[in-house]
């Protein structure tokens, strides 16, 4: 609507297609506004700016103008708000608004700004502040996108035409309220003629009926979404949809015929064979149950389903015998467990097969007519008494002869024998029921033609009892008799046991032995219940007179013939308190300072043992103190003098000090050693020679003289220990004025060894050749 004539300020929109001017929904009053109503001098509307503008110049948005502005430059226009100065600028003189940056509606769809006209000099507002919106106008710059793609979907096989598979959805970031930039249509690029898609909804449906999973179970579709309602120039996006045909039970199981061979020795519950009904379906649609419909061996076989493989597992329920039946015929049915009623017309969903099982003969061990045989024998049977017979036969058609034997691991003491041909078992030793009442024998039946084939049977031999054990006391009784006991008092009740085992139970009779039947001290009363009571005949028993009484009791059993034995009951006389509790029993302990003979003997034997041990320790300590060699005769060894300097002879002045050798003024006696003084004469006689003083000799001669003295000390007296003393003097370095220090030169010239061959060994052995090669005219000072 048009403003009244009093409105003086207007905002102009110069963008084409901006539409009618609109009223501002609100206006902010300036600080100069008073309580009475002023006339509005701003007129504003919504500006539109095209997004993605790519020009080189700032984009003109619109113009602000106030009627107060007379064009004399006194009015200044100010822009603030969302994006002011950073995106939008205003010419403060003319009020022109420009966009300096490229705008994207998908980032921000509109900007809210505030405009104000102020006096340039006073900076006071001449118009109230007003708010307006710059809206970014959309262009088609975003293609449709499938946020949930790629898709996975499934549809049952054999589905009718037009069955919904899945719905896809694409979104377009453009403005759905402006134009067709966000209006999307769908189409199928790849996947025809099997599937189709609805253009507006994106619902994918089957395009062919009765698609078979067993033929092809997976399809990959490519779906396109295009904006601008699919018109030319629109943008598009694609996604993939993988459609899997799920299985339905549309295939019945199918069998083939089977034939198997099994050994007759196969144990029961063992696997005979596996059969398989082929079903093109999968999962629960391929599950099936097997059953035996007909068989010429009732109850011999069983069939069940292997839940993992859906195989039919045939197992053996009864033992096979080739000689009785050599083959079996079975008819087995397989039926789908889960039948879909929608596909009953494709049935029946079951199938049958014929299975032939052939039994293969094997060489079986002998079989006993009775796996367990029971026999009885009296324990007083004579050796060689026959107690029974076992029988076994060869189950094979060959019916080989059999020999019998006893597994001696079950008859270690060889109480029994068996006849190898007849199987008659007899006793080989006397038997004792009280030691072993039952013998568990393992009998072996062995084929004579094939000793590997061995059958086993069990024979239980029960030994019958005879009365061959006399009764005895049930336990070792300890009978205590108080000195204050009165006549006729029961002091003990005894019972008996018997190792025998009469069928009707034991019956024992008790009496005193005839030798003590009339004794004045005790009497015996048979209680008729396999017990007897011992009573006193008198009182006044004294330990000092007799501490122990021995009472023989005669016990007789009721066997046939009856057996009896005499057991002795000891009765100890005790000192008792008023309640009849024994305080001390047996012999009276007399007070004495001495010890008994046994105690004295024990103490004496301990003392003797201790003395012997002390003597042994002293003797051993004395032996240890005696050394093998007296301490005074110390092991004096010749010092080993070693010269192993690796230097340049005399040119190496740091190796050792030659001054020490030059000051050897005293010529020592060559026959005197520093460590020992030998009493025996020397075996080698060195030719005496007048020696010059060490001070007047050259350095090399001084050193040689010193070494020579040492050599003679080591060589001339072989009787002085140590006899294996080693002297090593090595020559090192061509510059040594002492030349060789080898002790080889000290050997006697009387040696039979010829060393002339050293002259042929070259310069390195020339010194040895000079020393040993010509021993006639060499002297000490030759060099």
């Amino acid at each position: 609507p048009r403003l009244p004539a009093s409105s003086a300020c207007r905002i102009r929109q110069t963008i084409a297609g901006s539409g009618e001017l609109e009223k501002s929904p609100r206006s902010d009053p300036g600080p100069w506004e008073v309580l009475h109503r002023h006339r509005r001098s701003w007129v504003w509307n919504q500006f539109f700016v095209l997004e993605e503008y790519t020009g080189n110049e700032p984009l003109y948005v619109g113009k602000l103008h106030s009627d107060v502005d007379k064009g004399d430059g006194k009015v200044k226009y100010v822009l603030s708000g969302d994006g002011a100065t950073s995106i939008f600028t205003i010419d403060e003189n003319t009020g022109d608004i420009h966009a300096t940056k490229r705008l994207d509606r998908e980032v921000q769809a509109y900007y809210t700004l505030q405009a104000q006209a102020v006096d340039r000099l006073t900076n006071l507002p001449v118009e109230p502040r007003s708010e307006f919106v710059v809206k970014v106008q959309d262009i088609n710059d975003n293609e449709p996108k499938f946020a949930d793609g790629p898709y996975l979907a499934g549809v049952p096989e054999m589905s009718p035409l037009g069955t919904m598979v899945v719905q896809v959805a694409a979104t377009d970031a453009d403005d759905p309220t402006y134009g067709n930039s966000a209006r999307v249509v769908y189409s199928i690029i790849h996947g025809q003629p099997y599937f189709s898609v609805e253009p507006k909804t994106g619902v994918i449906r089957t395009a062919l009926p009765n698609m078979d999973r067993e033929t092809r179970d997976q399809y990959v579709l490519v779906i396109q979404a295009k904006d601008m309602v699919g018109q030319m120039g629109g943008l598009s996006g694609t996604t993939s949809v993988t459609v899997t045909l799920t299985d339905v039970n549309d295939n019945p199981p199918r069998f083939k015929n089977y034939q198997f061979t099994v050994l007759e020795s196969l144990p029961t519950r063992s696997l005979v064979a596996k059969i398989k009904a082929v079903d093109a379906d999968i999962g629960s649609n391929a599950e099936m149950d097997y059953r035996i419909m007909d068989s010429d061996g009732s109850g011999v076989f069983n069939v069940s389903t292997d839940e993992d493989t859906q195989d039919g597992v045939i197992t053996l329920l009864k033992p096979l015998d080739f000689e009785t039946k050599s083959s079996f015929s079975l008819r087995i049915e397989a039926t789908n467990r889960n039948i879909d009623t929608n596909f009953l017309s494709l049935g029946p969903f079951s199938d049958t097969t014929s299975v032939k099982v052939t039994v293969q003969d094997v060489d079986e061990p002998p079989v006993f007519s009775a796996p367990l045989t029971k026999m009885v024998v009296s324990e007083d049977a004579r050796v060689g008494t026959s107690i029974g017979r076992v029988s076994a036969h060869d189950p094979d058609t060959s019916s080989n002869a059999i020999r019998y034997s006893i597994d001696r691991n079950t008859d270690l003491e060889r109480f029994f024998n068996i006849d190898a041909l007849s199987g008659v078992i007899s006793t080989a030793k006397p038997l004792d029921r009280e030691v072993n009442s039952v013998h568990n024998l393992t009998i072996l039946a062995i084929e004579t033609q094939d000793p590997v084939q061995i059958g086993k049977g069990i024979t239980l031999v029960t030994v019958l009892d005879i009365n061959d054990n006399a009764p005895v006391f049930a336990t070792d009784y300890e009978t205590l008799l108080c000195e204050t006991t009165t006549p006729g008092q029961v002091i003990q009740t005894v019972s008996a046991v018997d190792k025998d085992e009469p069928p009707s139970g034991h019956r024992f009779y008790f009496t005193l032995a005839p030798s003590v039947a009339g004794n004045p001290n005790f009497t015996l009363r048979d209680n008729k219940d396999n017990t007897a009571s011992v009573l006193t005949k008198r009182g006044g028993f004294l330990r000092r007179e007799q501490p122990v009484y021995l009472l023989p009791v005669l016990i007789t059993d009721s066997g046939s013939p009856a057996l009896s034995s005499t057991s002795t009951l000891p009765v100890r006389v005790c000192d008792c308190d008023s309640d009849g509790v024994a305080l001390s029993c047996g012999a009276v302990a007399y007070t004495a300072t001495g010890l008994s003979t046994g105690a004295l003997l024990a103490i004496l034997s301990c003392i003797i043992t201790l003395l012997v041990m002390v003597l042994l320790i002293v003797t051993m300590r004395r032996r240890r103190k005696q050394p093998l060699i007296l301490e005074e005769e110390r092991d004096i060894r010749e010092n080993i003098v070693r010269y192993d300097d690796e230097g340049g002879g005399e040119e190496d002045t740091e190796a050792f000090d030659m001054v020490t050798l030059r000051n050897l003024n005293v010529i020592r006696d060559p026959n005197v050693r520093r460590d020992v003084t030998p009493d025996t004469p020397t075996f080698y006689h060195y030719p005496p020679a007048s020696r010059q003083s060490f001070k007047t000799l050259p350095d090399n001669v001084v050193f040689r003289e010193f070494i020579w003295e040492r050599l003679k000390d080591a060589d001339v007296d072989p009787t002085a220990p140590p006899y294996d003393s080693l002297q090593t003097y090595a020559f090192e370095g061509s510059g040594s004025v002492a030349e060789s220090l080898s002790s080889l030169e000290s050997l006697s010239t009387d040696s039979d060894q010829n060393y002339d061959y050293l002259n042929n060994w070259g310069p390195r052995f020339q010194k040895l050749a000079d020393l040993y090669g010509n021993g006639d005219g060499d002297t000490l000072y030759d060099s």
Side-chain angles (χ1 to χ4, degrees), residues 167-187:
Q167 183 177 14
V168 298
T171 57
D172 196 317
D174 294 324
D175 189 358
T177 63
Y178 179 77
N180 296 323
S181 298
R183 297 183 62 185
V184 177
V185 294
Y186 301 93
S187 62

Side-chain angles (χ1 to χ4, degrees), residues 150-159 163-166 191 194-195 204-206 211-221 240-248 282:
Y151 294 85
L152 297 176
V155 63
E157 63 172 331
M158 310 301 290
S159 294
T163 301
M164 178 179 173
V165 179
V166 69
Y194 306 102
F195 299 92
I204 300 174
R205 301 182 183 274
T206 58
M211 286 189 292
D212 191 4
R213 184 200 66 83
E214 287 74 34
T215 302
R216 181 179 177 183
D217 63 346
Q218 195 174 83
Y219 299 84
V220 178
L221 314 180
S240 64
V241 180
T242 302
V243 180
T244 302
L245 295 183
T246 59
D247 185 58
V248 297
I282 60 174

Side-chain angles (χ1 to χ4, degrees), residues 130-284:
S130 184
E131 183 178 87
F132 63 96
V133 174
V134 177
K135 187 174 183 181
V136 182
Q137 188 172 358
D138 182 51
I139 65 173
N140 189 19
D141 60 342
N142 292 278
E143 71 277 3
K145 294 182 179 180
F146 292 90
D148 298 329
Y151 294 85
L152 297 176
V155 63
E157 63 172 331
M158 310 301 290
S159 294
L161 179 66
T163 301
M164 178 179 173
V165 179
V166 69
Q167 183 177 14
V168 298
T171 57
D172 196 317
D174 294 324
D175 189 358
T177 63
Y178 179 77
N180 296 323
S181 298
R183 297 183 62 185
V184 177
V185 294
Y186 301 93
S187 62
I188 183 168
I189 297 177
H190 179 74
Q192 296 174 333
Y194 306 102
F195 299 92
S196 63
V197 62
E198 295 180 359
K200 294 183 178 181
T201 62
V203 174
I204 300 174
R205 301 182 183 274
T206 58
L208 290 178
N210 302 327
M211 286 189 292
D212 191 4
R213 184 200 66 83
E214 287 74 34
T215 302
R216 181 179 177 183
D217 63 346
Q218 195 174 83
Y219 299 84
V220 178
L221 314 180
V222 178
I223 305 298
Q224 181 189 67
K226 190 173 182 180
D227 59 14
M228 300 297 294
V229 201
Q231 296 178 3
M232 185 175 296
L235 302 178
S236 63
T238 60
T239 187
S240 64
V241 180
T242 302
V243 180
T244 302
L245 295 183
T246 59
D247 185 58
V248 297
N249 193 5
D250 59 338
N251 293 279
R254 290 293 178 262
F255 261 128
K256 66 177 182 178
N257 294 330
Y258 296 90
Q259 185 170 354
F260 304 103
T261 300
V262 295
L263 298 176
E264 66 169 329
S265 59
L266 187 69
T268 57
R269 300 296 177 183
S270 298
L271 173 66
V272 175
K274 287 186 177 183
I275 58 177
K276 179 75 173 180
V278 179
D279 193 326
D281 299 322
I282 60 174
S284 61

Side-chain angles (χ1 to χ4, degrees), residues 352-427:
T352 60
T353 185
S354 296
V355 178
K356 185 176 182 180
V357 180
T358 301
V359 181
Q360 182 179 350
D361 187 24
V362 296
D363 190 6
E364 300 173 274
V367 177
F368 282 86
S369 57
L372 177 62
T373 304
K374 296 182 179 180
M375 300 179 183
V376 294
V377 61
S378 176
E379 66 176 321
D380 64 344
R382 292 186 176 184
V383 175
T385 301
S386 297
I387 60 175
R389 181 178 181 273
V390 295
S391 177
H393 67 281
D394 185 2
D396 299 319
T397 55
S398 57
S399 187
N400 294 321
I402 295 175
R403 295 180 63 85
Y404 300 94
S405 66
I406 297 176
D407 185 355
R408 291 305 176 183
N409 290 323
T410 61
D411 186 25
L412 296 175
E413 298 184 16
R414 296 180 177 269
F415 284 108
F416 303 94
N417 286 330
I418 187 170
D419 188 271
L421 299 178
S422 64
V424 174
I425 299 176
S426 59
T427 59

